[in-house]
Amino acid sequence: MYKKLSNIDFKYFIGQKVTEVNTEKNVPLGMTFDTAGLIIECPWRLLVSNEIMIGYTDCIQSSDKFSHKNVKGILMEKKIVNILHFENISDLVVEFEGNIYLELFHDSTYFEGWTLSGDNGFYLFTLPGGTYDFS
């Protein structure tokens, strides 16, 4: 299967910076931007200069060493420079300044995976099975 980019316009998010990252234990990773938000309930990884700095599995398997606090330390105040959405598998890549990438991988046939929303009414989320809905 190849990855096909969707035609969704993400201009609203470009230039927004991370203003908060959820650091509570046992809850999904979530973050707030200037006028938007992202909730992640699927596997993810955070890369800096093409090196994985932390991922979903690290937080689950080595919670004494890795947590959402690590994500917060890397992403706070970083601006979004690009967003890529792959429609046939509902993966999302958020590119931040400083060569930082947050990659989300929808992996469930039963659960939703992630939700990206904006105060302007933008609402994009993944559905069970890897499809998505957008309004």
Side-chain angles (χ1 to χ4, degrees), residues 1 33 61-62 70 83 89-90 103 128:
M1 175 187 300
F33 309 114
Q61 300 296 327
S62 293
N70 300 90
I83 297 179
I89 52 175
S90 290
E103 299 179 341

Side-chain angles (χ1 to χ4, degrees), residues 53-70:
M53 301 306 293
I54 184 171
Y56 173 81
T57 303
D58 298 321
C59 293
I60 301 295
Q61 300 296 327
S62 293
S63 59
D64 57 326
K65 185 175 179 184
F66 298 102
S67 73
H68 296 166
K69 290 178 182 178
N70 300 90

Side-chain angles (χ1 to χ4, degrees), residues 79-98:
K79 289 183 182 178
I80 297 171
V81 298
N82 196 18
I83 297 179
L84 302 171
H85 173 243
F86 299 95
E87 65 180 22
N88 54 330
I89 52 175
S90 290
D91 286 353
L92 189 77
V93 178
V94 181
E95 179 183 357
F96 296 91
E97 62 186 339

Side-chain angles (χ1 to χ4, degrees), residues 21-82:
V21 175
N22 177 22
T23 58
E24 293 179 47
K25 290 184 177 183
N26 302 317
V27 295
L29 177 60
M31 60 192 66
T32 305
F33 309 114
D34 292 321
T35 59
L38 176 63
I39 305 221
I40 305 165
E41 300 179 270
C42 64
W44 53 270
R45 66 182 176 197
L46 186 62
L47 296 94
V48 177
S49 299
N50 296 320
E51 180 181 342
I52 299 171
M53 301 306 293
I54 184 171
Y56 173 81
T57 303
D58 298 321
C59 293
I60 301 295
Q61 300 296 327
S62 293
S63 59
D64 57 326
K65 185 175 179 184
F66 298 102
S67 73
H68 296 166
K69 290 178 182 178
N70 300 90
V71 175
K72 184 175 184 174
I74 295 169
L75 289 182
M76 280 302 293
E77 301 296 317
K78 295 290 191 263
K79 289 183 182 178
I80 297 171
V81 298
N82 196 18

